[in-house]
């Protein structure tokens, strides 16, 4: 999307630029000494990102989300040998800080949410919508950003709460059983056994 490179919006959340990069042809290096005026998220779907965050060098493995806040230095590199796939968003808005804090970025700059085809597909839809620029594209793209962050927050919550994961899978299996068999008369006992 080639809207505005570093637009700062008074909307709740606004997409400036997004994309998915398969960085397989050559090593990729990015350095912006003064960062950008907007927020920047990298989601490492495959491979790894070698980044400097607030003066500390780190390697963000696949499944990681990296946050650069407005005005912070951007310095990161991808090596083609890792076959990296990186999804990125440049975004702005008055709701950004609260949303980011809620999903796990309050005291962290890297969170690991694991690889998710669902999140990748949201990035794909957002990139297409941003490029097509049809009526209400801005609103849809804002919704996609919120959906990505909600999914990231949920995945982080469940990874930090293993008991919830176990219960979630058990409840999910029962819900799926009921859904698959909704045309049959199911007793409470049958559902309980499931």
């Amino acid at each position: 999307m080639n809207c505005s490179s570093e637009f700062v919006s008074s909307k709740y959340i606004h997409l400036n630029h997004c994309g998915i990069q398969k960085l397989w042809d050559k090593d990729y290096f990015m350095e912006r000494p003064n960062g950008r005026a907007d927020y920047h998220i990298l989601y490492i779907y495959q491979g790894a990102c070698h980044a400097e965050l607030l003066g500390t060098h780190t390697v963000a493995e696949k499944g990681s989300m990296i946050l650069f806040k407005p005005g912070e230095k951007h310095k990161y590199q991808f090596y083609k040998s890792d076959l990296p796939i990186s999804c990125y968003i440049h975004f702005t808005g008055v709701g950004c800080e609260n949303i980011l804090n809620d999903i796990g970025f309050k005291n962290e700059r890297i969170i690991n949410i694991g690889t998710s085809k669902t999140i990748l597909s949201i990035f794909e839809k957002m990139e297409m919508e941003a490029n097509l620029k049809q009526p209400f594209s801005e609103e849809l793209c804002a919704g996609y950003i919120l959906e990505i962050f909600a999914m990231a927050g949920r995945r982080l919550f469940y990874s930090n709460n293993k008991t919830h994961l176990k219960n979630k899978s058990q409840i999910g299996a029962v819900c799926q059983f009921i859904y698959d068999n909704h045309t049959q008369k199911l007793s409470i006992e049958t559902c309980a056994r499931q």
Side-chain angles (χ1 to χ4, degrees):
M1 178 174 166
N2 295 322
C3 274
S4 146
S5 170
E6 295 186 54
F7 180 72
V8 176
S9 176
S10 60
K11 293 182 178 181
Y12 185 70
I13 197 157
H14 176 84
L15 175 68
N16 286 346
H17 192 59
C18 67
I20 301 170
Q21 298 175 306
K22 293 180 179 178
L23 304 164
W24 301 345
D25 295 335
K26 60 181 180 177
D27 293 345
Y28 178 85
F29 181 77
M30 172 57 68
E31 184 167 9
R32 296 181 185 107
N34 299 314
R36 289 175 51 109
D38 53 9
Y39 292 86
H40 178 37
I41 288 273
L42 292 171
Y43 175 52
I44 315 307
Y45 184 74
Q46 183 174 297
C49 178
H50 303 261
E52 182 182 314
L53 293 163
L54 305 175
T56 302
H57 295 279
T58 188
V59 178
E61 301 292 338
K62 71 179 181 179
S64 297
M65 250 187 197
I66 306 169
L67 169 66
F68 296 95
K69 291 187 176 185
E72 290 181 350
K73 177 181 180 178
H74 297 184
K75 186 173 181 181
Y76 54 88
Q77 184 162 359
F78 293 95
Y79 296 107
K80 68 178 182 179
S81 59
D82 293 333
L83 297 175
I85 298 175
S86 171
C87 306
Y88 67 89
I89 317 170
H90 296 286
F91 60 102
T92 181
V94 296
C96 295
E97 194 70 23
N98 286 337
I99 295 167
L100 292 167
N101 287 344
D102 287 348
I103 66 167
F105 282 115
K106 186 169 189 163
N107 300 312
E108 304 293 332
R109 289 308 168 85
I110 299 177
I111 57 174
N112 193 310
I113 60 168
T115 55
S116 167
K117 288 183 181 179
T118 301
I119 292 176
L120 180 65
S121 73
I122 300 167
F123 270 100
E124 290 168 345
K125 290 188 290 188
M126 181 170 58
E127 182 179 34
M128 181 183 297
E129 189 62 44
N131 287 325
L132 291 175
K133 298 179 185 164
Q134 295 185 34
F136 296 97
S137 284
E138 282 187 19
E139 290 79 5
L140 275 170
C141 288
Y144 289 138
I145 294 171
L146 293 173
E147 188 175 3
I148 287 167
F149 289 163
M151 292 298 296
R154 178 182 288 173
R155 291 177 65 86
L156 189 63
F157 174 83
Y158 283 132
S159 71
N160 291 337
N161 296 280
K162 302 297 184 199
T163 304
H164 286 69
L165 266 179
K166 182 181 176 192
N167 292 340
K168 178 186 172 231
S169 65
Q170 290 173 337
I171 292 169
V174 172
C175 289
Q176 187 65 50
F177 173 79
I178 293 169
Y179 179 80
D180 291 342
N181 297 286
H182 71 278
T183 58
Q184 300 177 23
K185 281 193 166 189
L186 297 175
S187 67
I188 292 174
E189 294 78 21
T190 302
C191 291
R193 278 194 302 273
Q194 291 298 317

PDB file of all heavy atoms in Angstrom, residues 77-97:
ATOM      1  N   GLN A  77      17.791  -7.419  10.550  1.00  0.00           N
ATOM      2  CA  GLN A  77      18.303  -8.110   9.377  1.00  0.00           C
ATOM      3  C   GLN A  77      17.696  -9.502   9.273  1.00  0.00           C
ATOM      4  O   GLN A  77      17.447 -10.161  10.282  1.00  0.00           O
ATOM      5  CB  GLN A  77      19.835  -8.227   9.456  1.00  0.00           C
ATOM      6  CG  GLN A  77      20.463  -8.843   8.235  1.00  0.00           C
ATOM      7  CD  GLN A  77      21.954  -8.553   8.149  1.00  0.00           C
ATOM      8  OE1 GLN A  77      22.518  -7.871   8.988  1.00  0.00           O
ATOM      9  NE2 GLN A  77      22.584  -9.077   7.125  1.00  0.00           N
ATOM     10  N   PHE A  78      17.461  -9.901   8.024  1.00  0.00           N
ATOM     11  CA  PHE A  78      17.031 -11.259   7.713  1.00  0.00           C
ATOM     12  C   PHE A  78      18.089 -11.888   6.826  1.00  0.00           C
ATOM     13  O   PHE A  78      18.605 -11.238   5.908  1.00  0.00           O
ATOM     14  CB  PHE A  78      15.689 -11.246   6.956  1.00  0.00           C
ATOM     15  CG  PHE A  78      14.524 -10.773   7.765  1.00  0.00           C
ATOM     16  CD1 PHE A  78      14.133  -9.442   7.713  1.00  0.00           C
ATOM     17  CD2 PHE A  78      13.811 -11.641   8.568  1.00  0.00           C
ATOM     18  CE1 PHE A  78      13.044  -8.989   8.438  1.00  0.00           C
ATOM     19  CE2 PHE A  78      12.722 -11.198   9.307  1.00  0.00           C
ATOM     20  CZ  PHE A  78      12.344  -9.866   9.241  1.00  0.00           C
ATOM     21  N   TYR A  79      18.403 -13.149   7.082  1.00  0.00           N
ATOM     22  CA  TYR A  79      19.361 -13.873   6.256  1.00  0.00           C
ATOM     23  C   TYR A  79      18.603 -14.828   5.345  1.00  0.00           C
ATOM     24  O   TYR A  79      17.768 -15.606   5.817  1.00  0.00           O
ATOM     25  CB  TYR A  79      20.356 -14.644   7.124  1.00  0.00           C
ATOM     26  CG  TYR A  79      21.209 -13.728   7.975  1.00  0.00           C
ATOM     27  CD1 TYR A  79      21.006 -13.632   9.342  1.00  0.00           C
ATOM     28  CD2 TYR A  79      22.206 -12.947   7.391  1.00  0.00           C
ATOM     29  CE1 TYR A  79      21.781 -12.786  10.126  1.00  0.00           C
ATOM     30  CE2 TYR A  79      22.992 -12.099   8.162  1.00  0.00           C
ATOM     31  CZ  TYR A  79      22.770 -12.022   9.523  1.00  0.00           C
ATOM     32  OH  TYR A  79      23.529 -11.174  10.287  1.00  0.00           O
ATOM     33  N   LYS A  80      18.901 -14.782   4.063  1.00  0.00           N
ATOM     34  CA  LYS A  80      18.189 -15.613   3.082  1.00  0.00           C
ATOM     35  C   LYS A  80      18.320 -17.097   3.406  1.00  0.00           C
ATOM     36  O   LYS A  80      17.419 -17.873   3.103  1.00  0.00           O
ATOM     37  CB  LYS A  80      18.663 -15.318   1.662  1.00  0.00           C
ATOM     38  CG  LYS A  80      20.074 -15.741   1.364  1.00  0.00           C
ATOM     39  CD  LYS A  80      20.451 -15.464  -0.076  1.00  0.00           C
ATOM     40  CE  LYS A  80      21.866 -15.943  -0.354  1.00  0.00           C
ATOM     41  NZ  LYS A  80      22.248 -15.712  -1.735  1.00  0.00           N
ATOM     42  N   SER A  81      19.414 -17.493   4.042  1.00  0.00           N
ATOM     43  CA  SER A  81      19.606 -18.908   4.385  1.00  0.00           C
ATOM     44  C   SER A  81      18.539 -19.421   5.356  1.00  0.00           C
ATOM     45  O   SER A  81      18.277 -20.618   5.430  1.00  0.00           O
ATOM     46  CB  SER A  81      20.998 -19.131   4.974  1.00  0.00           C
ATOM     47  OG  SER A  81      21.169 -18.339   6.135  1.00  0.00           O
ATOM     48  N   ASP A  82      17.890 -18.503   6.092  1.00  0.00           N
ATOM     49  CA  ASP A  82      16.807 -18.876   7.014  1.00  0.00           C
ATOM     50  C   ASP A  82      15.465 -19.029   6.295  1.00  0.00           C
ATOM     51  O   ASP A  82      14.481 -19.411   6.926  1.00  0.00           O
ATOM     52  CB  ASP A  82      16.638 -17.817   8.106  1.00  0.00           C
ATOM     53  CG  ASP A  82      17.815 -17.744   9.058  1.00  0.00           C
ATOM     54  OD1 ASP A  82      18.504 -18.771   9.236  1.00  0.00           O
ATOM     55  OD2 ASP A  82      18.041 -16.657   9.623  1.00  0.00           O
ATOM     56  N   LEU A  83      15.410 -18.679   5.004  1.00  0.00           N
ATOM     57  CA  LEU A  83      14.163 -18.648   4.228  1.00  0.00           C
ATOM     58  C   LEU A  83      13.065 -17.889   4.972  1.00  0.00           C
ATOM     59  O   LEU A  83      11.966 -18.411   5.208  1.00  0.00           O
ATOM     60  CB  LEU A  83      13.698 -20.067   3.882  1.00  0.00           C
ATOM     61  CG  LEU A  83      14.633 -20.876   2.984  1.00  0.00           C
ATOM     62  CD1 LEU A  83      14.127 -22.300   2.826  1.00  0.00           C
ATOM     63  CD2 LEU A  83      14.785 -20.212   1.625  1.00  0.00           C
ATOM     64  N   PRO A  84      13.353 -16.635   5.348  1.00  0.00           N
ATOM     65  CA  PRO A  84      12.394 -15.899   6.176  1.00  0.00           C
ATOM     66  C   PRO A  84      11.141 -15.446   5.421  1.00  0.00           C
ATOM     67  O   PRO A  84      11.196 -15.096   4.249  1.00  0.00           O
ATOM     68  CB  PRO A  84      13.200 -14.684   6.650  1.00  0.00           C
ATOM     69  CG  PRO A  84      14.237 -14.485   5.609  1.00  0.00           C
ATOM     70  CD  PRO A  84      14.548 -15.851   5.061  1.00  0.00           C
ATOM     71  N   ILE A  85      10.033 -15.478   6.135  1.00  0.00           N
ATOM     72  CA  ILE A  85       8.792 -14.846   5.697  1.00  0.00           C
ATOM     73  C   ILE A  85       8.412 -13.885   6.813  1.00  0.00           C
ATOM     74  O   ILE A  85       8.207 -14.293   7.959  1.00  0.00           O
ATOM     75  CB  ILE A  85       7.660 -15.863   5.453  1.00  0.00           C
ATOM     76  CG1 ILE A  85       8.046 -16.845   4.345  1.00  0.00           C
ATOM     77  CG2 ILE A  85       6.366 -15.136   5.095  1.00  0.00           C
ATOM     78  CD1 ILE A  85       7.032 -17.957   4.123  1.00  0.00           C
ATOM     79  N   SER A  86       8.346 -12.610   6.471  1.00  0.00           N
ATOM     80  CA  SER A  86       8.066 -11.570   7.450  1.00  0.00           C
ATOM     81  C   SER A  86       6.817 -10.802   7.038  1.00  0.00           C
ATOM     82  O   SER A  86       6.698 -10.366   5.890  1.00  0.00           O
ATOM     83  CB  SER A  86       9.258 -10.607   7.531  1.00  0.00           C
ATOM     84  OG  SER A  86       8.936  -9.475   8.314  1.00  0.00           O
ATOM     85  N   CYS A  87       5.895 -10.653   7.962  1.00  0.00           N
ATOM     86  CA  CYS A  87       4.708  -9.820   7.758  1.00  0.00           C
ATOM     87  C   CYS A  87       4.942  -8.535   8.538  1.00  0.00           C
ATOM     88  O   CYS A  87       5.452  -8.572   9.652  1.00  0.00           O
ATOM     89  CB  CYS A  87       3.467 -10.522   8.298  1.00  0.00           C
ATOM     90  SG  CYS A  87       3.199 -12.179   7.658  1.00  0.00           S
ATOM     91  N   TYR A  88       4.559  -7.407   7.940  1.00  0.00           N
ATOM     92  CA  TYR A  88       4.791  -6.149   8.641  1.00  0.00           C
ATOM     93  C   TYR A  88       3.586  -5.220   8.540  1.00  0.00           C
ATOM     94  O   TYR A  88       2.791  -5.315   7.613  1.00  0.00           O
ATOM     95  CB  TYR A  88       6.046  -5.442   8.126  1.00  0.00           C
ATOM     96  CG  TYR A  88       5.929  -4.942   6.707  1.00  0.00           C
ATOM     97  CD1 TYR A  88       5.435  -3.666   6.428  1.00  0.00           C
ATOM     98  CD2 TYR A  88       6.311  -5.740   5.635  1.00  0.00           C
ATOM     99  CE1 TYR A  88       5.313  -3.210   5.128  1.00  0.00           C
ATOM    100  CE2 TYR A  88       6.200  -5.291   4.336  1.00  0.00           C
ATOM    101  CZ  TYR A  88       5.709  -4.019   4.082  1.00  0.00           C
ATOM    102  OH  TYR A  88       5.588  -3.574   2.785  1.00  0.00           O
ATOM    103  N   ILE A  89       3.485  -4.352   9.537  1.00  0.00           N
ATOM    104  CA  ILE A  89       2.451  -3.318   9.572  1.00  0.00           C
ATOM    105  C   ILE A  89       3.100  -2.027  10.065  1.00  0.00           C
ATOM    106  O   ILE A  89       3.831  -2.039  11.054  1.00  0.00           O
ATOM    107  CB  ILE A  89       1.310  -3.629  10.574  1.00  0.00           C
ATOM    108  CG1 ILE A  89       0.845  -5.071  10.540  1.00  0.00           C
ATOM    109  CG2 ILE A  89       0.149  -2.685  10.367  1.00  0.00           C
ATOM    110  CD1 ILE A  89      -0.103  -5.430  11.678  1.00  0.00           C
ATOM    111  N   HIS A  90       2.808  -0.933   9.383  1.00  0.00           N
ATOM    112  CA  HIS A  90       3.080   0.416   9.885  1.00  0.00           C
ATOM    113  C   HIS A  90       1.705   1.005  10.166  1.00  0.00           C
ATOM    114  O   HIS A  90       0.859   1.047   9.267  1.00  0.00           O
ATOM    115  CB  HIS A  90       3.815   1.268   8.847  1.00  0.00           C
ATOM    116  CG  HIS A  90       5.179   0.747   8.506  1.00  0.00           C
ATOM    117  ND1 HIS A  90       6.245   0.858   9.363  1.00  0.00           N
ATOM    118  CD2 HIS A  90       5.644   0.117   7.407  1.00  0.00           C
ATOM    119  CE1 HIS A  90       7.313   0.314   8.801  1.00  0.00           C
ATOM    120  NE2 HIS A  90       6.971  -0.152   7.616  1.00  0.00           N
ATOM    121  N   PHE A  91       1.477   1.444  11.397  1.00  0.00           N
ATOM    122  CA  PHE A  91       0.146   1.894  11.770  1.00  0.00           C
ATOM    123  C   PHE A  91       0.229   3.013  12.795  1.00  0.00           C
ATOM    124  O   PHE A  91       1.277   3.270  13.397  1.00  0.00           O
ATOM    125  CB  PHE A  91      -0.683   0.721  12.303  1.00  0.00           C
ATOM    126  CG  PHE A  91      -0.099   0.061  13.522  1.00  0.00           C
ATOM    127  CD1 PHE A  91      -0.611   0.324  14.784  1.00  0.00           C
ATOM    128  CD2 PHE A  91       0.973  -0.822  13.411  1.00  0.00           C
ATOM    129  CE1 PHE A  91      -0.070  -0.284  15.915  1.00  0.00           C
ATOM    130  CE2 PHE A  91       1.515  -1.424  14.535  1.00  0.00           C
ATOM    131  CZ  PHE A  91       0.998  -1.154  15.793  1.00  0.00           C
ATOM    132  N   THR A  92      -0.884   3.689  12.975  1.00  0.00           N
ATOM    133  CA  THR A  92      -0.943   4.834  13.862  1.00  0.00           C
ATOM    134  C   THR A  92      -2.343   4.919  14.460  1.00  0.00           C
ATOM    135  O   THR A  92      -3.221   4.146  14.083  1.00  0.00           O
ATOM    136  CB  THR A  92      -0.600   6.125  13.070  1.00  0.00           C
ATOM    137  OG1 THR A  92      -0.639   7.244  13.938  1.00  0.00           O
ATOM    138  CG2 THR A  92      -1.566   6.357  11.920  1.00  0.00           C
ATOM    139  N   GLY A  93      -2.527   5.835  15.383  1.00  0.00           N
ATOM    140  CA  GLY A  93      -3.853   6.054  15.962  1.00  0.00           C
ATOM    141  C   GLY A  93      -3.802   6.241  17.461  1.00  0.00           C
ATOM    142  O   GLY A  93      -2.841   5.832  18.122  1.00  0.00           O
ATOM    143  N   VAL A  94      -4.860   6.829  17.989  1.00  0.00           N
ATOM    144  CA  VAL A  94      -4.894   7.147  19.416  1.00  0.00           C
ATOM    145  C   VAL A  94      -5.111   5.909  20.289  1.00  0.00           C
ATOM    146  O   VAL A  94      -4.826   5.937  21.486  1.00  0.00           O
ATOM    147  CB  VAL A  94      -5.978   8.212  19.723  1.00  0.00           C
ATOM    148  CG1 VAL A  94      -5.653   9.531  19.031  1.00  0.00           C
ATOM    149  CG2 VAL A  94      -7.373   7.730  19.320  1.00  0.00           C
ATOM    150  N   GLY A  95      -5.570   4.808  19.717  1.00  0.00           N
ATOM    151  CA  GLY A  95      -5.803   3.591  20.496  1.00  0.00           C
ATOM    152  C   GLY A  95      -4.640   2.620  20.510  1.00  0.00           C
ATOM    153  O   GLY A  95      -4.679   1.614  21.220  1.00  0.00           O
ATOM    154  N   CYS A  96      -3.596   2.913  19.753  1.00  0.00           N
ATOM    155  CA  CYS A  96      -2.502   1.947  19.572  1.00  0.00           C
ATOM    156  C   CYS A  96      -1.827   1.531  20.871  1.00  0.00           C
ATOM    157  O   CYS A  96      -1.646   0.340  21.129  1.00  0.00           O
ATOM    158  CB  CYS A  96      -1.454   2.503  18.611  1.00  0.00           C
ATOM    159  SG  CYS A  96      -2.066   2.747  16.935  1.00  0.00           S
ATOM    160  N   GLU A  97      -1.447   2.495  21.679  1.00  0.00           N
ATOM    161  CA  GLU A  97      -0.690   2.181  22.892  1.00  0.00           C
ATOM    162  C   GLU A  97      -1.484   1.267  23.820  1.00  0.00           C
ATOM    163  O   GLU A  97      -0.957   0.281  24.344  1.00  0.00           O
ATOM    164  CB  GLU A  97      -0.293   3.474  23.606  1.00  0.00           C
ATOM    165  CG  GLU A  97       0.767   3.290  24.673  1.00  0.00           C
ATOM    166  CD  GLU A  97       2.151   2.956  24.123  1.00  0.00           C
ATOM    167  OE1 GLU A  97       2.457   3.260  22.954  1.00  0.00           O
ATOM    168  OE2 GLU A  97       2.942   2.367  24.893  1.00  0.00           O
TER     169      GLU A  97
END
